[in-house]
Every structure is written in C-alpha cells, then in structure tokens.
C-alpha cells in the first residue's frame, strides 16, 4: 500500500515540475498542424475496442505517385497499431477520385500481413475529388452485413477515416450528416492544401478530436500515434473528459492543454490566443493563407492563379492547349471545363468527342418541301411540278413550258396525223354530200317540168 502511495506521489511531483516548465520546454506531442512525433510504443498494437474501420483515401490527380506511396505506408502503420481480427477490429480500404473503388471490404482480411500486402498493390485513380460519393458508397456498399459489417446488436462502432489533400467537387456536407445520423463516426485527415472548411463539415463532433492536419504527405505516418491513442482510449483526452479549448495532451493518466500552431496557451492553461497571421480575420487572402515567419503569403486552390495584387485569385484557363481532352470545343467553367462541338456537330455520350449532326433532321432546317444534305450544310429543293423561289427555301407551282420532251413530241405528231386524216375524210364526205345535193336538185327540176 505504501508503495502505491509513493508512486502516486512521484507522478504528482513530476506533473508539478512539468507545469513549472516554460511552454516551449514542455514535452508532449506537437500540435495537429505540425508533424507529430512518433512514440516508442507506436509499433505495438493496442488492445483497442473492436471497430468496423474503413479508410477512404484520396488518389486524385493532385496526389503525386510518391505521395500516394506515403499514404499506403500510413495505412500499413495504422494496421500495425490495431488489434486486427475477425472478432476484434475489421478493416476495409476504399480508393476514390472521380470514381470510387472498394479495394477490399471488411469481410476479406482478418490478419495484418494480408491487409498490408493488399494495400501495397493499390494504384491511384488520378482524376477528380468526389469525396461525397466516396462516403455515400461506404454507407451503401461497405457498411453492410453482406460486406462484413457486424450486426447493430453487437454495438461495434463504425468508423471512417478520410484522407484528402483537396477540396471536394461534390456536396459532401449532406452525405456526411447522413452517415453520422446512421451511426458512422468520421475522422477527417487534411494534407497540404486540403480545404479546412470541407474537413469541418464532414468530420464528427467534437471537431477538435476528429480533424487532423499535416503539411505534407511526407509526415502523414506521424499521425499513427495520435490515432493509436484515440482508438485505444488509454487517456483522458480520448475519453473527452477534459476542458482544453484546443489540444489535449495525455500525460500519465492525466492531461495537459496545448494549442494549435499559430496559437499560444493562455495563463489559465486551458484556452488559447491566436498568434498566427493566417488565423481567420487576420489576413486578406482570397483563398489560401500560408503563414510565413509571423507574416503570410497568399496562394490559390488548384485550378486558380494568384492575381498581381498577390491576394485574390482568378480561375486558370483550363482550356489552354494540353490541359483538356475535348475533341473540338473546350468551355472553361470556374476552374474546370466542359466540352462542346462546332456548328453542325453534336456531343457524344462520352462528353468529349463529337459526331456530325443530320442537318436535314426535322426542326434543323427551313426548307418548305425538300432538304438536301451536303456534308455539314444543306440546300432546299421542291417536289415535281414545283420550282424553288428566289429565297432558296420556299416553292411555287411550276408554269407549263412550251418545250416538250421527245416522248411528248412523238405524241403530238401522232395526234396531228390523226387530225389530218379526220380532216381529209371530212372533206371527202363533204364533197360527196355536195354531189348528192346537186343530183337531188336536178331530179327535182325534171319533176317540175313534167
């Protein structure tokens, strides 16, 4: 019993000495915006409570191949710290960009070696950042009993860790809210120029315990120890029973408060004050503020360029040569682009290539009677018996021409010959009638004499 009391006394004395040290000299893990120091025990798997854990990793074009390899190392080191197994923590990995790929679900692997081997073969998708779609896919296709999620009656926490370095190109807020309503706890890990507001809208509450940030992919694996402490729940900070305004640092069964980079701890040892020139309201940057030795410089999101005033940003010409894959027309659209076609062509279902349009299709021409297609253009024509008017569009009934065809000429000659024959017969008949008439008159004369 005396030994136990002596141990507590030593711990209290050590804590008191620690509090008397200047803030700069205090030990403990760095701030969430700084690279985190690994602990000696980081490689030792904790006996954490069972989890159904899903990693969602961003592999859009902004993530370079060597950076994506760092993400895979981070996943492998995270697996090393977990108590992995069919009855303990199950792990799934999803890969996303414009599309989403389930690399392996919760039901596939129950040992670390197999998981790490599968992770080593993941390839980046390299286009777009559809974070909302990825979270929705996790809800619909991964967190199901068919894919390895344990029944709700088991009370196994469902956890998602999203790793991204950009801004979502879809609506992530409503999807994240639906996921949290469904009982999914979301941790958001931002790297480099990750949009902090997007991390806030997707992460679970309290945000200070569910948002992590590192400056580069080169130090992302340092977050392993932070997640280890969180999932093992071996400290007061992870349990949430502290009053630190920003950062809680576990220390021998107790805790100390600390601040984010750019903030300093106030004398009350709990709250923080901003010293970061990039803190909200302390800079004039339109998009991204980068702290620079008590000063700052402005930068822009991907797809934008910094204007000469060094503060505001303008959308980069995404339709410049070599920056798009449109077959004919590129239409710039707020940092992105869409494809179009020249007149006379229509956009194909792939939204990139074009096909010649039928210019004589109904509604696509102004001919009154007949449309005649000529490559990409058309001319108008008329039905038999009509002629095209001067406007080259409408038609009028044709006037009978004095010129006739050979066939019609032959017909006319036959008719003329018939008419001559009839006339000749009529003349002969008329002559005979005259002769008969003269004979009748002579006969009547003789009768009168008698």
């Amino acid at each position: 019993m005396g030994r136990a009391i002596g141990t507590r006394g030593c711990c209290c004395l050590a804590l008191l000495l620690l509090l008397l040290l200047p803030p700069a000299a205090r030990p403990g893990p760095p701030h969430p915006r700084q690279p985190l120091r690994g602990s000696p025990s980081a490689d030792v798997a904790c006996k954490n409570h069972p989890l159904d854990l899903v990693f969602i990793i961003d592999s859009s074009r902004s993530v370079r191949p060597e950076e994506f390899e760092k993400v895979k190392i981070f996943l492998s080191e995270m697996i090393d710290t977990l108590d992995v197994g069919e009855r303990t923590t199950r792990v799934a990995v999803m890969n996303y960009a414009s599309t989403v790929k389930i690399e392996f679900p919760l039901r596939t692997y129950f040992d670390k070696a197999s998981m790490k081997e599968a992770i080593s073969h993941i390839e980046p998708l390299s286009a777009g950042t559809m974070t909302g779609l990825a979270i929705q896919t996790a809800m619909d296709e991964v967190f199901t009993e068919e894919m390895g999620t344990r029944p709700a009656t088991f009370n196994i926490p469902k956890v998602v860790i999203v790793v991204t370095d950009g801004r979502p190109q879809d609506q992530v807020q409503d999807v994240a809210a639906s996921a949290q309503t469904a009982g999914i706890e979301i941790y958001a890990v931002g790297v480099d120029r990750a949009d902090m507001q997007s991390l806030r809208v997707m992460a679970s509450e309290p945000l200070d315990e569910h948002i992590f940030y590192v400056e580069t992919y080169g130090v992302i694996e340092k977050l392993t120890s932070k997640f280890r402490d969180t999932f093992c729940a071996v400290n007061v900070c992870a349990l949430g029973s502290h009053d630190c305004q920003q950062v809680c640092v576990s220390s021998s069964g107790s805790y100390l408060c600390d601040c984010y980079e750019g903030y300093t701890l106030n004398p009350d040892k709990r709250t923080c004050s901003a010293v970061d020139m990039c803190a909200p309201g302390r800079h004039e940057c339109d998009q991204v503020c980068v702290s620079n030795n008590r000063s700052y410089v402005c930068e822009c999101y991907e797809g934008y360029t910094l204007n000469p005033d060094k503060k505001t940003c303008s959308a980069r010409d995404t339709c410049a040569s070599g920056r798009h894959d449109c077959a004919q027309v590129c239409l710039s659209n707020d940092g992105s682009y869409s494809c179009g076609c020249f007149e006379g062509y229509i956009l194909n279902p792939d939204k990139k290539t074009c096909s010649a349009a039928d210019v004589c299709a109904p509604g696509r021409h102004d001919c009154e009677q007949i449309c005649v297609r000529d490559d990409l253009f058309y001319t108008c024509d008329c039905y038999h018996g009509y002629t095209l008017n001067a406007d080259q569009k409408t038609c009028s009934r044709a006037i009978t021409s004095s010129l006739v065809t050979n066939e019609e000429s032959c017909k006319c000659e036959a008719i003329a010959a018939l008419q001559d024959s009839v006339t000749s017969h009529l003349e002969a008949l008329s002559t005979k009638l005259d002769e008969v008439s003269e004979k009748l008159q002579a006969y009547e004369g003789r009768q009168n004499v008698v």
Side-chain angles (χ1 to χ4, degrees), residues 57 65 68-77 79 93 103-104 109 112-124:
I57 56 174
F68 193 69
E69 291 301 314
K70 292 289 186 181
V71 176
K72 295 198 290 185
I73 292 172
F74 167 64
L75 296 186
S76 294
E77 292 186 354
I79 288 171
V93 175
E103 298 292 347
F104 57 85
Y109 303 117
K112 297 180 182 182
S114 298
M115 289 181 185
K116 292 164 69 173
E117 175 66 18
I119 289 171
S120 69
H121 295 294
I122 297 176
E123 295 293 333

Side-chain angles (χ1 to χ4, degrees), residues 138-366:
M139 283 195 292
D140 296 341
E141 301 181 26
V142 179
F143 284 115
T144 65
E145 291 186 30
E146 293 78 10
M147 297 297 278
T149 300
R150 282 162 283 191
T153 54
F154 284 36
N155 292 320
I156 305 295
K158 295 189 285 287
V159 178
V160 163
I161 298 177
V162 180
V163 181
T164 181
D165 74 339
R167 166 183 290 191
Q169 294 176 339
D170 56 3
Q171 295 298 320
V172 73
Q173 184 170 4
D174 293 341
V175 177
S178 297
Q180 293 168 30
T181 300
I184 300 172
E185 186 175 8
I186 301 178
Y187 289 84
V189 176
V191 184
D192 196 11
R193 296 184 184 178
D195 180 46
M196 295 304 295
Q197 180 59 30
S198 297
L199 298 181
R200 292 187 184 96
V201 301
M202 77 173 78
S204 298
E205 294 284 353
L207 297 181
D208 288 346
E209 296 174 13
H210 289 83
I211 296 177
F212 302 104
Y213 176 86
V214 290
E215 287 88 350
T216 67
Y217 281 101
V219 295
I220 189 172
E221 68 269 18
K222 300 299 183 180
L223 290 175
T224 305
S225 60
K226 185 67 176 176
F227 276 111
R228 179 183 183 278
D229 288 346
T230 299
F231 293 150
C232 291
V234 296
N235 56 63
V236 177
C237 297
L239 296 174
S241 56
H242 62 83
D243 56 358
C244 297
Q245 183 185 37
Q246 292 188 353
V247 180
C248 176
V249 180
S250 179
S251 178
S252 301
S254 185
Y255 68 94
L256 299 173
C257 296
D258 208 341
C259 302
Y260 299 132
E261 182 183 1
Y263 291 80
T264 184
L265 194 65
N266 292 328
D268 62 7
K269 307 301 181 186
R270 295 185 299 105
T271 60
C272 301
S273 296
V275 294
D276 184 3
M277 294 301 293
C278 284
R282 294 181 66 87
H283 64 87
E284 299 177 299
C285 296
D286 183 29
Q287 292 187 354
V288 179
C289 176
V290 179
S291 184
N292 183 19
N293 192 24
R294 296 289 177 142
S295 184
Y296 67 91
V297 293
C298 299
E299 294 183 358
C300 302
Y301 300 133
E302 182 181 1
Y304 291 80
T305 55
L306 195 64
N307 293 328
D309 62 6
K310 303 300 182 182
K311 298 177 183 178
T312 58
C313 300
S314 295
R316 187 183 301 145
D317 183 11
T318 53
C319 285
S321 178
R323 297 184 61 85
H324 66 87
D325 53 2
C326 298
Q328 292 188 357
V329 180
C330 177
L331 306 172
S332 185
N333 181 22
D334 192 26
S336 183
Y337 69 90
S338 58
C339 298
C341 300
F342 300 136
E343 183 177 1
Y345 288 81
I346 56 174
L347 196 64
N348 292 327
D350 63 7
K351 304 300 182 183
K352 298 176 183 179
T353 58
C354 301
S355 296
D358 182 5
V359 291
C360 283
R364 295 185 63 86
H365 65 86
D366 53 3

Side-chain angles (χ1 to χ4, degrees), residues 47-108:
K47 295 299 181 182
N48 59 286
H49 297 298
L51 303 172
D52 284 338
L53 175 61
V54 178
F55 290 98
I56 301 179
I57 56 174
D58 178 358
S59 66
S60 58
R61 63 169 60 93
S62 62
V63 183
R64 292 187 291 269
E66 62 271 19
E67 293 174 334
F68 193 69
E69 291 301 314
K70 292 289 186 181
V71 176
K72 295 198 290 185
I73 292 172
F74 167 64
L75 296 186
S76 294
E77 292 186 354
M78 281 290 298
I79 288 171
D80 279 335
T81 69
L82 298 170
D83 186 13
V84 171
E86 184 175 5
R87 296 180 179 275
T88 52
T89 292
R90 298 183 181 183
V91 176
V93 175
M94 298 174 60
N95 183 12
Y96 80 97
S98 292
T99 58
V100 179
K101 181 180 180 182
I102 302 172
E103 298 292 347
F104 57 85
L106 296 165
R107 69 182 182 188
T108 304

